[in-house]
Amino acid sequence: MYTLPKIERFQQQVAAKYHLYNSVFITLPFDAIDNTGVLLPLFHELCVKGFQQKLSPVEIVNLFIEKYGDPTDEKEKLNLLFRFIQYVERQIVLFDAIEDAAFSTVNNLEGKGSLREIKERCDTAELQNQWRSFLQEFKVRTVLTAHPTQFYPGAVLGIITDLTEAIRHNDLHQIELLLAQLGKTRFIKKDKPTPFDEAVSLIWYLENVFYTTIGEMLHYLHKNNAIDAQLANPLIQLGFWPGGDRDGNPFVTPEISLQVAQRLRTSILKCYYSDIRKLKRKLTFTEVDVIIAESERQLYRSVFYSRGELYISQSELLEQLNQVKCLLESKHQSLYLDEVTQLIHKVQTFGFHFASLDIRQNSKIHNQVVSAVVGHLNQEEYLTWDESKRRELLNTIEGTVQASDFAVEIVTQTIASIEVMKNIQQQNGELGANRYIISNNESALNVLETLALFRWTGWHQPTVDIVPLFESVEDLQHAAHIMEQLYTHPEYSTHLTRRQNKQTVMLGFSDGTKDGGYLMANWSIFKAKEAITAMSRKYGIEVIFFDGRGGPPARGGGKTHKFYASLGSGIEHKEIQLTVQGQTISSNFGTPESCRFNLENLLSAGVTNVLFAKKENDLTSEDKAIIDELAVIGFEKYTAFKQHPKFIPYLEQRSTLNYYAKTNIGSRPSKRKAAEQLDFADLRAIPFVGSWSQMKQNVPGFFGVGTALYAFENAGRWTEVQALYKNSLFFRTLLENSMMSLAKSFFPLTQYMENDPEFGAFWQIIFDEFTLTKNMLLKIAGHTELMENYPDGKASIKMREDIVLPLLTIQQYALMKINEIRQGKEDSTLLETYEKLVIRSLFGNTNASRNSA
């Protein structure tokens, strides 16, 4: 049967269904005034025409009220705008559910990048043995973080799940009921979530999506003779940051870390218990039934009667399952053998930890802690030494401390976090918490002092990997030299020997882009990876790169699998590790279908690099020289822009930056320090990138790209970048991801600023760079429209942006009114109401983009 093109499948299964179900939804009365659903399409139409006529958001709202409302009743006007927000929020939920329901139809789950396609490629190329060898070494590690970019409360997520299922079965009655339920369900959280609340929310995805999906993937590989029953290599691993990420979050305490680890263990044991109960109904054979019944009893007691005590260990559970497996093979004709083998793979993969809890803290905090510790050990002289002497003589600072020795909270809690890691390992196994990440890592001393903290707490041979996180452009440039200092340091070298000579290095896309702009950040990370790889190979160390990525291109997102497939042989590629956060969790891993699709694509990227590496993926010295020049030009343009005297005031007065902290979406503050005045260095990447996204300007995803490309065109060197785009998958992916940022921009929304006496010239700088970048990217790609080679993705973005247009208009309307109040042009009595409008519109705008921050 003929399969329709992807864009046609999208139009049939997503666009058409959205218009159908939205017509049902918009007629449902959700409040006392039942004409909101009738007025919203009229407001939407006026927004579209208004921006075409270059009207400001205030002019659009006022014109709408004059035509359809009471222009004298300001209170009623604002109430109507709030009701519009409520409707649009729910329209976005409807669209999310429809896209999720259509995922397996729009995307070919057996097509390019799938396990089936990988196997067939290997079979065709007669690489079956190499494929099996690859699976014995390669790993994918997705690390779920609690970064606050997901606004849906748990009740709404539950409705999305049910609505997705109803849409999948075209159950109109159930859809109508769920839409009515949605209309009466709160979207706003009264209180900020605690780190434990965040952990519980994300554990839902572990239990309901990752557990089953990974089990099925491993089962497929086993059935196709790619892996054996005794899974020697944990091919897919899960990491977890909620409850462990202390960087800038005072609410993450050692007690919270322990509670989260215990919840993770309880959750995975419940999953095993559920599977064992299902097996018990099938394995009713002699001998086998006794073993399964005992496993069930021990798991039940460990989950429901235990106060932290286990009645079965991981090794004992595996031993029992393997006994069952042998009995089925030898005495029972291998009945239900597949189900038992699949459970064995799950236990081998998830252990009793489910996901590894990473502990993270900032190097600047460690500086305070080390100063306190050496003072307590009467070794203050250490603080007077230069860095070189400290590195050399650090191991002479001996003694033991514990958290209770100190009165300063940050010191106490940092040391207690190390102590609690040991506790978690004793309860959940080593993988329960075996990585300590140092953010803002600037030197080898930052790593060595962290290792010393473990020694000073009495953990002399820690079963923990110390992971430096390089974020700024300057730190990325020095990263390879820093790693060499570590590799040649006697104490650290001994530590690496105990860790099988493997070193994980984390690289931060988000803060790198904030610091150096899009081109320079991405290129600096690429060069750092190449340099660290070469340095690690020189010293016989296997380096593993862990990428701190966000959702949008400005934070390392976009076409992630294409990025990993493009890195070439100069970058170590035995593992892919990346953070997954906010809407990216729900959009890319929120359903079994999308989770499978994206995990398999990451595996495929690894296979492409190892087994099907193309020579053109290796950049030549000429290629690198061109990208170097482009990155420097883009960096200079971005740096000048960042240093513009209106840069910070523009973000503070014209964007939603100051309102992120007022939303109850995450436990973590929007700044690392509580200082009243905005310090750009302490500003979190999420509110920074998110604020540009809310204005539909998306500066971090493109600024400087157009200037860099134009410089080559102007110098008569266009053929050089054109050839690079054609021949380099890395460069092409880099620019295609930037196109996504442009496609999500909408400058008519803020064009009213063009004539602003304070910010007009600054707005023009942004708009000019956007226009230049758009023209340059269309030219280099040979396109007439952005993202025209991804028509379904382009269509999805267009529909989402169209749905959210009223919210964008209302948000800018409120921001304009707030500025008028600050200038003394408006009555201040409505200031709080306008601020609520801004905050409420943040929710829908962010959720609609799915990868906006």
Tab-separated table of all heavy atoms in Angstrom, residues 357-386:
chain	number	residue	atom	x	y	z
A	357	LEU	N	21.680	8.967	40.398
A	357	LEU	CA	21.508	10.323	40.911
A	357	LEU	C	22.854	11.045	40.864
A	357	LEU	O	23.782	10.701	41.602
A	357	LEU	CB	20.968	10.286	42.342
A	357	LEU	CG	20.637	11.645	42.976
A	357	LEU	CD1	19.465	12.300	42.259
A	357	LEU	CD2	20.311	11.479	44.459
A	358	ASP	N	22.976	12.033	39.976
A	358	ASP	CA	24.194	12.839	39.903
A	358	ASP	C	24.141	13.932	40.961
A	358	ASP	O	23.095	14.573	41.154
A	358	ASP	CB	24.330	13.497	38.535
A	358	ASP	CG	24.686	12.514	37.432
A	358	ASP	OD1	25.110	11.395	37.763
A	358	ASP	OD2	24.555	12.870	36.247
A	359	ILE	N	25.277	14.161	41.619
A	359	ILE	CA	25.408	15.285	42.549
A	359	ILE	C	26.197	16.382	41.832
A	359	ILE	O	27.232	16.106	41.229
A	359	ILE	CB	26.136	14.870	43.844
A	359	ILE	CG1	25.428	13.666	44.493
A	359	ILE	CG2	26.220	16.042	44.815
A	359	ILE	CD1	24.006	13.930	44.935
A	360	ARG	N	25.693	17.616	41.877
A	360	ARG	CA	26.380	18.717	41.191
A	360	ARG	C	26.470	19.929	42.102
A	360	ARG	O	25.521	20.269	42.799
A	360	ARG	CB	25.649	19.099	39.899
A	360	ARG	CG	26.379	20.190	39.104
A	360	ARG	CD	25.769	20.400	37.734
A	360	ARG	NE	24.543	21.180	37.769
A	360	ARG	CZ	24.288	22.225	36.962
A	360	ARG	NH1	25.174	22.600	36.068
A	360	ARG	NH2	23.142	22.863	37.042
A	361	GLN	N	27.653	20.566	42.073
A	361	GLN	CA	27.843	21.800	42.826
A	361	GLN	C	28.805	22.698	42.063
A	361	GLN	O	29.637	22.233	41.280
A	361	GLN	CB	28.366	21.513	44.244
A	361	GLN	CG	28.476	22.709	45.154
A	361	GLN	CD	27.197	23.531	45.264
A	361	GLN	OE1	26.886	24.315	44.370
A	361	GLN	NE2	26.451	23.346	46.352
A	362	ASN	N	28.735	23.980	42.332
A	362	ASN	CA	29.550	24.980	41.643
A	362	ASN	C	30.937	25.072	42.263
A	362	ASN	O	31.095	24.984	43.481
A	362	ASN	CB	28.843	26.336	41.718
A	362	ASN	CG	29.391	27.331	40.727
A	362	ASN	OD1	30.503	27.819	40.878
A	362	ASN	ND2	28.604	27.629	39.708
A	363	SER	N	31.952	25.272	41.411
A	363	SER	CA	33.341	25.345	41.899
A	363	SER	C	33.537	26.483	42.886
A	363	SER	O	34.367	26.384	43.797
A	363	SER	CB	34.305	25.502	40.724
A	363	SER	OG	34.107	26.747	40.068
A	364	LYS	N	32.776	27.561	42.717
A	364	LYS	CA	32.929	28.707	43.633
A	364	LYS	C	32.469	28.337	45.050
A	364	LYS	O	33.002	28.844	46.038
A	364	LYS	CB	32.160	29.907	43.092
A	364	LYS	CG	32.804	30.521	41.852
A	364	LYS	CD	32.022	31.717	41.345
A	364	LYS	CE	32.806	32.481	40.284
A	364	LYS	NZ	33.264	31.665	39.155
A	365	ILE	N	31.477	27.449	45.147
A	365	ILE	CA	31.062	26.943	46.452
A	365	ILE	C	32.157	26.057	47.035
A	365	ILE	O	32.483	26.143	48.232
A	365	ILE	CB	29.743	26.157	46.345
A	365	ILE	CG1	28.622	27.064	45.828
A	365	ILE	CG2	29.373	25.525	47.676
A	365	ILE	CD1	28.283	28.230	46.743
A	366	HIS	N	32.764	25.235	46.194
A	366	HIS	CA	33.856	24.384	46.669
A	366	HIS	C	35.006	25.213	47.233
A	366	HIS	O	35.655	24.796	48.203
A	366	HIS	CB	34.371	23.503	45.526
A	366	HIS	CG	33.444	22.392	45.176
A	366	HIS	ND1	33.559	21.640	44.037
A	366	HIS	CD2	32.361	21.881	45.822
A	366	HIS	CE1	32.603	20.733	44.000
A	366	HIS	NE2	31.861	20.868	45.069
A	367	ASN	N	35.260	26.376	46.623
A	367	ASN	CA	36.328	27.239	47.148
A	367	ASN	C	36.051	27.617	48.596
A	367	ASN	O	36.952	27.596	49.451
A	367	ASN	CB	36.451	28.501	46.288
A	367	ASN	CG	36.931	28.211	44.881
A	367	ASN	OD1	37.529	27.162	44.632
A	367	ASN	ND2	36.696	29.126	43.953
A	368	GLN	N	34.802	27.951	48.893
A	368	GLN	CA	34.427	28.289	50.280
A	368	GLN	C	34.599	27.086	51.201
A	368	GLN	O	35.094	27.217	52.326
A	368	GLN	CB	32.972	28.749	50.336
A	368	GLN	CG	32.638	29.993	49.544
A	368	GLN	CD	31.159	30.318	49.631
A	368	GLN	OE1	30.538	30.217	50.694
A	368	GLN	NE2	30.565	30.692	48.515
A	369	VAL	N	34.184	25.917	50.705
A	369	VAL	CA	34.223	24.712	51.528
A	369	VAL	C	35.663	24.311	51.823
A	369	VAL	O	36.008	23.987	52.973
A	369	VAL	CB	33.470	23.557	50.836
A	369	VAL	CG1	33.583	22.274	51.651
A	369	VAL	CG2	32.003	23.929	50.631
A	370	VAL	N	36.512	24.349	50.790
A	370	VAL	CA	37.924	23.983	50.992
A	370	VAL	C	38.588	24.933	51.982
A	370	VAL	O	39.352	24.508	52.860
A	370	VAL	CB	38.674	23.974	49.644
A	370	VAL	CG1	40.183	23.864	49.866
A	370	VAL	CG2	38.182	22.822	48.778
A	371	SER	N	38.290	26.223	51.871
A	371	SER	CA	38.852	27.194	52.817
A	371	SER	C	38.438	26.859	54.241
A	371	SER	O	39.254	26.917	55.167
A	371	SER	CB	38.378	28.611	52.456
A	371	SER	OG	38.886	29.007	51.201
A	372	ALA	N	37.175	26.477	54.420
A	372	ALA	CA	36.693	26.128	55.760
A	372	ALA	C	37.357	24.859	56.275
A	372	ALA	O	37.734	24.767	57.455
A	372	ALA	CB	35.178	25.965	55.738
A	373	VAL	N	37.550	23.869	55.396
A	373	VAL	CA	38.124	22.589	55.814
A	373	VAL	C	39.593	22.752	56.209
A	373	VAL	O	40.016	22.262	57.268
A	373	VAL	CB	37.976	21.535	54.701
A	373	VAL	CG1	38.785	20.285	55.033
A	373	VAL	CG2	36.510	21.171	54.511
A	374	VAL	N	40.374	23.435	55.370
A	374	VAL	CA	41.806	23.574	55.704
A	374	VAL	C	41.980	24.423	56.959
A	374	VAL	O	42.916	24.218	57.742
A	374	VAL	CB	42.614	24.149	54.523
A	374	VAL	CG1	42.587	23.202	53.336
A	374	VAL	CG2	42.131	25.531	54.122
A	375	GLY	N	41.032	25.361	57.166
A	375	GLY	CA	41.078	26.125	58.411
A	375	GLY	C	40.795	25.244	59.606
A	375	GLY	O	41.468	25.335	60.638
A	376	HIS	N	39.816	24.365	59.483
A	376	HIS	CA	39.481	23.443	60.570
A	376	HIS	C	40.628	22.486	60.854
A	376	HIS	O	40.839	22.090	62.018
A	376	HIS	CB	38.225	22.638	60.172
A	376	HIS	CG	37.769	21.680	61.228
A	376	HIS	ND1	37.055	22.074	62.350
A	376	HIS	CD2	37.939	20.330	61.337
A	376	HIS	CE1	36.801	21.009	63.097
A	376	HIS	NE2	37.324	19.939	62.510
A	377	LEU	N	41.403	22.154	59.810
A	377	LEU	CA	42.543	21.236	59.978
A	377	LEU	C	43.832	21.972	60.325
A	377	LEU	O	44.909	21.377	60.325
A	377	LEU	CB	42.738	20.428	58.683
A	377	LEU	CG	41.593	19.504	58.275
A	377	LEU	CD1	41.870	18.867	56.918
A	377	LEU	CD2	41.342	18.426	59.330
A	378	ASN	N	43.676	23.287	60.609
A	378	ASN	CA	44.837	24.118	60.989
A	378	ASN	C	45.911	24.138	59.899
A	378	ASN	O	47.111	24.102	60.160
A	378	ASN	CB	45.451	23.628	62.314
A	378	ASN	CG	44.482	23.737	63.477
A	378	ASN	OD1	43.794	24.763	63.622
A	378	ASN	ND2	44.391	22.695	64.293
A	379	GLN	N	45.453	24.209	58.650
A	379	GLN	CA	46.368	24.247	57.514
A	379	GLN	C	46.086	25.496	56.663
A	379	GLN	O	46.140	25.467	55.441
A	379	GLN	CB	46.176	22.997	56.644
A	379	GLN	CG	46.465	21.695	57.347
A	379	GLN	CD	47.947	21.433	57.496
A	379	GLN	OE1	48.760	22.067	56.833
A	379	GLN	NE2	48.315	20.521	58.377
A	380	GLU	N	45.852	26.652	57.335
A	380	GLU	CA	45.510	27.888	56.624
A	380	GLU	C	46.594	28.333	55.657
A	380	GLU	O	46.332	29.065	54.691
A	380	GLU	CB	45.233	29.028	57.617
A	380	GLU	CG	43.959	28.858	58.423
A	380	GLU	CD	44.214	28.182	59.774
A	380	GLU	OE1	45.244	27.481	59.878
A	380	GLU	OE2	43.396	28.355	60.688
A	381	GLU	N	47.820	27.884	55.888
A	381	GLU	CA	48.913	28.273	55.003
A	381	GLU	C	48.625	27.870	53.555
A	381	GLU	O	49.065	28.533	52.611
A	381	GLU	CB	50.223	27.613	55.472
A	381	GLU	CG	51.447	28.034	54.660
A	381	GLU	CD	52.706	27.281	55.069
A	381	GLU	OE1	52.612	26.371	55.908
A	381	GLU	OE2	53.767	27.611	54.522
A	382	TYR	N	47.870	26.793	53.387
A	382	TYR	CA	47.509	26.318	52.053
A	382	TYR	C	46.866	27.420	51.229
A	382	TYR	O	47.088	27.525	50.008
A	382	TYR	CB	46.547	25.131	52.190
A	382	TYR	CG	45.923	24.666	50.897
A	382	TYR	CD1	46.618	23.810	50.044
A	382	TYR	CD2	44.643	25.064	50.522
A	382	TYR	CE1	46.046	23.367	48.857
A	382	TYR	CE2	44.059	24.633	49.338
A	382	TYR	CZ	44.769	23.789	48.503
A	382	TYR	OH	44.206	23.361	47.337
A	383	LEU	N	46.090	28.279	51.859
A	383	LEU	CA	45.361	29.327	51.153
A	383	LEU	C	46.286	30.411	50.627
A	383	LEU	O	45.894	31.199	49.753
A	383	LEU	CB	44.297	29.943	52.069
A	383	LEU	CG	43.247	28.958	52.616
A	383	LEU	CD1	42.322	29.664	53.594
A	383	LEU	CD2	42.437	28.339	51.476
A	384	THR	N	47.509	30.483	51.120
A	384	THR	CA	48.469	31.500	50.658
A	384	THR	C	49.298	31.004	49.477
A	384	THR	O	49.987	31.797	48.842
A	384	THR	CB	49.417	31.905	51.802
A	384	THR	OG1	50.255	30.786	52.148
A	384	THR	CG2	48.635	32.344	53.029
A	385	TRP	N	49.246	29.709	49.188
A	385	TRP	CA	50.039	29.162	48.085
A	385	TRP	C	49.410	29.512	46.739
A	385	TRP	O	48.201	29.723	46.636
A	385	TRP	CB	50.138	27.630	48.203
A	385	TRP	CG	50.792	27.133	49.458
A	385	TRP	CD1	51.582	27.828	50.323
A	385	TRP	CD2	50.675	25.808	50.006
A	385	TRP	NE1	51.999	27.044	51.366
A	385	TRP	CE2	51.447	25.790	51.193
A	385	TRP	CE3	50.013	24.648	49.616
A	385	TRP	CZ2	51.564	24.642	51.994
A	385	TRP	CZ3	50.138	23.510	50.388
A	385	TRP	CH2	50.905	23.510	51.564
A	386	ASP	N	50.251	29.548	45.705
A	386	ASP	CA	49.705	29.740	44.364
A	386	ASP	C	49.103	28.421	43.870
A	386	ASP	O	49.260	27.368	44.495
A	386	ASP	CB	50.763	30.265	43.393
A	386	ASP	CG	51.935	29.308	43.189
A	386	ASP	OD1	51.785	28.093	43.427
A	386	ASP	OD2	53.019	29.782	42.801
